[in-house]
Amino acid sequence: MSSSLKKIAQLQLLLSEMEEDFGIKDNSTIEKRVLLALADLYSEDGAVATHDIMEHQLIYGFSRPSFYRALSALEEQGKIKKAKSVRGFYALCAE
């Protein structure tokens, strides 16, 4: 069991370094999860519906208001943007 915990610790340290590299280390847990869910669902040629992001496994357990606050915060930070002329679609901002 201790070797499994050590592996988890190493993965957590790696994840923390990657979050810092991508500039999301200081984001809240839900902001990170929303961003990662969007990245998981996103394809280069399109955008992702808010409903699909909300239904993603990473978002499970968060309240609807928290989800929308996270979307708004990520948009203000320039990490995501509203996409398409139709309401309710988001895309990743170019890095």
Side-chain angles (χ1 to χ4, degrees):
M1 179 155 145
S2 85
S3 74
S4 294
L5 288 174
K6 186 170 182 141
K7 288 178 184 177
I8 291 171
Q10 290 170 341
L11 286 171
Q12 191 65 46
L13 289 169
L14 178 62
L15 179 60
S16 183
E17 289 175 21
M18 292 175 74
E19 287 176 352
E20 189 161 347
D21 290 345
F22 284 104
I24 62 171
K25 186 174 177 127
D26 294 332
N27 286 76
S28 69
T29 299
I30 188 165
E31 289 169 1
K32 291 176 193 175
R33 296 258 184 114
V34 168
L35 186 62
L36 294 173
L38 177 56
D40 187 42
L41 298 167
Y42 187 74
S43 65
E44 293 297 321
D45 60 332
V48 181
T50 305
H51 172 75
D52 293 336
I53 302 168
M54 196 179 309
E55 294 293 318
H56 195 280
Q57 184 178 0
L58 289 172
I59 308 304
Y60 180 77
F62 291 103
S63 71
R64 190 177 182 93
S66 294
F67 171 78
Y68 281 104
R69 279 192 298 272
L71 274 179
S72 180
L74 290 167
E75 190 176 5
E76 286 177 21
Q77 295 166 19
K79 296 187 183 336
I80 65 172
K81 61 185 176 184
K82 290 181 181 169
K84 300 192 177 197
S85 57
V86 182
R87 202 173 131 180
F89 283 82
Y90 285 87
L92 297 169
C93 289
E95 292 181 19

